[in-house]
Amino acid sequence: MRNLFIVLVAVACLCGCDRRSEAERFADDLMSRMTLREKVGQMSQFAPQTGVVTGPEGEPMDLNALIKAGEVGSVLNVKTPEEIWELQRLAVDSSRLGIPILFGHDIIHGCKVIFPINLGSACSWNVEAVKESARIAAAEAAAMGIAWTFSPMCDVSADPRWGRVSEGSGEDPYLAAKLSAAMVEGYQGEELADSTTIMACVKHFAAYGAPEAGRDYNTVDMSERMFRDRYLPPYVAALDAGAATVMTSFNDFNAIPASGSRWLLKELLRDELGFDGFVVSDYRAVTEMIAHGVARDTTEAAYKAMKACLDMEMVSGSYLNSVEELVKEGLVSEKEIDAMCRNVLVAKYNLGLFEDPFRYGGAERFAGSIYRPEDLAFARSIARESMVLLKNEGEVLPLDGGERIALIGPYISSPRAMLGSWTAFRDYDRTVTIGQGFEERFPGKVTMTAGCGPYAEIDGGIAQAVRAARNADVAVLTLGLPGEFSGEAASMTSVELPQAQKNLLAAVKAAGKPVVVLLTTGRPMALESVIDDMDALFLAWHPGTEGGHAIADVISGDHSPSGHLVMSFPRCDGQIPIRYNHKATGRPLEGTAPDPLISMKKLYKSCYLFTPDTPLYPFGYGLSYTEFEFDSLEVVDKDNIHIGDDVTVRVRVSNVGDRDGATVAQLYMRDMAASTTRPVRELKGFERLHLRKGELRVVEFVLTAEDMSFWREDMKFGQEPGEFRLWLGNHSDATLEASFTVRP
Ligand code: NOJ
């Protein structure tokens, strides 16, 4: 059977047509020999019982029997290279047509070497590094036999109650678009058939990041304009970067579950955006249409998904179970099935699976491809760049003076706190904890004690922590949320510190020594009520395999912190969702009252009575051990700008402190009077800069017509003439300002 495929592939290659039609010709030829069930088998993905499961367990199934029957197109969540090859061998040798299986897995922020959670890596604003992390993840996964990752997650979100913010790139569509595209390039490389690259999957299509009340899987209902302006750009950028697949979201979007939405999957995705890869549902999302209340049974659910052009069903099996009935009744045509099956076969062809089903993986190759020293070194460097220094009163950091350190808190020895969610292939014993990092970097200087658990007091824990703090020069507290409390199904109504940790912090602060808080978390937290007890606040996220080393690198001053927030940090839960790029309203607070405002008086402005409307730390914010200055902001040829023109903006950035360091120059824009309301500020350019002490650099940004365009009142994407204001600095409240006018 294998030889037959090689001949067919060779024939297809000889005919000199482009690769897509070559692949389609191959697929069509193959389909001419396939039964209806075999075709729908290609449109079906299953997981072995032992695999990682997300979502409620279904009926037990015999995967091997299905594979032998040629009814499994893809398998997800297989754990080892040996098992992958075993199942592949079964498919190739024992099924009638020997069509290879496509193995997929959630390789979300690393495979064996784990990088910071995606939200953390995004805080590096380092597009090349994010791409490199995807490349390494792909190489390790491919060595295992996995040819497809369910990443990148392109869902924009400003709601830290939603646990899945940890998997995305934050609240800003512009930055998320750049990073999502970079991840696709990293995973897929130049050539999908390369045995070290894997297919990316743009998810979750669409608008999964805006669930009502931050509750996972919840309803999303918003105007099409808002969707297109704020939520769509990262998906589009990832598709433009060539992503081979797309995953539907669990949510209903404007009253239609995404997996049954022909508007989303056909009209928008294929007809308008030109996507020609294949679409997979999320886990059981097809049959979940019954619970959504839009399908009476699994057959109707399958019918709706097929009519929406959803090519592959993940796990729930309704396609296989219903196809004969649907075709017999004339509800779905074999032509429609062919179109979906073809999309899947073309992807397999492009991956080179027909040429060699064992191109990916193999136990020996796997062993030689993981935990490469250079990849670990890279993981350490991107982890450093992901960390954000939020407060540094009295320059308590860095700890470079030989201080005696009391290292306190529930996460000192927790590998999981370093890794975060979605780390199926993690090895705790390869993960560097905070305690290990500190002991290596500050030998003989560190005393450690937990003080409390993540949520519970420990008997005598606080007293011991206070004693340790008293006997040290500085107390470093590892606080925050456990690694498993972010990701899927991890929504929270409060993102404040758990009470047990608040108590620990207050007691240690009262010991009178400077307090540094090392925050591990997968989401922004609301810290205003405790911020005064912290002299320094250092946001480590869940930094990955090399987390403990990277934290020590930055805390010690061996490296200056350089991360900048990609989600606003609220003051308190009630401000959520909170974003820098909000609309102005007709009654903006700006310029009316001092900020922060704590008022007992009604102002009749868009604000709260007792809480400022600003976040505790805004989008883009992050301190360094050195100081940066921005000046001489200039719009080149500003009096001669017309619709369609590029606008060049220049600024001088200097490192005026006494250390080398990196920062992120960020350009924000506002369209002052448009046909629709526009955000008060929008990120339109950024550049991560490493400057030696005393160094000055002139940075140039180019705003294109597209950067100034939006979904206008007439629902067309385009530019309008008028005044634009710009701000430049290293956070979204930057005050260095310029403006220009676009003439008709
Ligand atoms: C459910 C999640 O929503 C999705 O992101 C993931 O890729 C699939 N399960 C597969 O594990």
Side-chain angles (χ1 to χ4, degrees), residues 389-500:
L389 181 62
L390 292 171
K391 181 176 179 184
N392 196 14
E393 205 86 343
E395 300 197 350
V396 49
L397 289 177
L399 302 182
D400 54 1
E403 297 87 343
R404 288 169 302 150
I405 302 168
L407 185 60
I408 300 167
Y411 302 111
I412 298 172
S413 321
S414 163
R416 190 65 202 257
M418 297 295 90
L419 300 178
S421 66
W422 292 116
T423 52
F425 301 110
R426 64 180 172 253
D427 291 306
Y428 284 150
D429 58 357
R430 298 293 301 244
T431 305
V432 183
T433 61
I434 299 175
Q436 287 164 342
F438 267 62
E439 273 183 334
E440 262 182 50
R441 180 58 185 80
F442 307 106
K445 295 284 177 192
V446 189
T447 328
M448 298 193 223
T449 182
C452 68
Y455 280 86
E457 309 265 337
I458 297 177
D459 236 5
I462 288 191
Q464 203 170 334
V466 169
R467 265 197 307 279
R470 285 208 183 106
N471 292 332
D473 300 311
V474 59
V476 176
L477 265 75
T478 69
L479 303 180
L481 298 173
E484 60 275 28
F485 278 19
S486 61
E488 193 181 345
S491 294
M492 288 175 152
T493 54
S494 172
V495 295
E496 291 209 11
L497 269 188
Q499 192 58 46

Side-chain angles (χ1 to χ4, degrees), residues 54 76 106 150 164 203-204 247 250 282-283 314 488:
T54 64
L76 83 160
D106 289 285
F150 310 124
R164 304 204 74 171
K203 73 185 190 186
H204 305 81
M247 185 187 291
F250 282 124
D282 204 340
Y283 210 95
M314 189 184 284
E488 193 181 345

Side-chain angles (χ1 to χ4, degrees), residues 115-135:
F115 304 109
I117 54 165
N118 308 82
L119 190 64
S121 288
C123 289
S124 72
W125 299 58
N126 187 338
V127 179
E128 277 310 307
V130 166
K131 178 173 166 182
E132 176 64 4
S133 66
R135 188 198 63 75

Side-chain angles (χ1 to χ4, degrees), residues 19-20 23 102-103 138-139 142 146-149 151 183-201 241-245 275-278 343-356 359-360 365:
R19 202 167 161 86
R20 171 81 197 182
L102 170 59
F103 290 94
I146 293 163
W148 182 23
T149 177
S151 173
M183 289 181 78
V184 171
E185 288 164 10
Y187 290 131
Q188 297 196 166
E190 295 288 308
E191 181 52 67
L192 268 184
D194 182 325
S195 66
T196 64
T197 62
I198 59 178
M199 286 198 300
C201 183
T245 70
F275 176 66
D276 69 354
F278 80 81
N343 287 336
V344 175
L345 293 176
V346 164
K348 292 187 177 185
Y349 181 92
N350 290 338
L351 285 165
L353 283 173
F354 288 109
E355 257 177 288
D356 180 5
R359 149 173 272 146
Y360 301 87
R365 173 176 158 201

Side-chain angles (χ1 to χ4, degrees), residues 45 52-55 76-77 105-108 149-151 153 155 164 167 201 203-204 208 216-217 247-250 280-284 314-315 422 488-489:
Q45 183 186 53
V52 182
V53 285
T54 64
L76 83 160
N77 293 344
H105 217 297
D106 289 285
I107 307 297
I108 306 297
T149 177
F150 310 124
S151 173
M153 187 181 100
D155 307 317
R164 304 204 74 171
E167 299 168 54
C201 183
K203 73 185 190 186
H204 305 81
Y208 186 42
D216 209 1
Y217 317 120
M247 185 187 291
T248 62
S249 53
F250 282 124
V280 64
S281 75
D282 204 340
Y283 210 95
R284 298 191 206 284
M314 189 184 284
V315 170
W422 292 116
E488 193 181 345

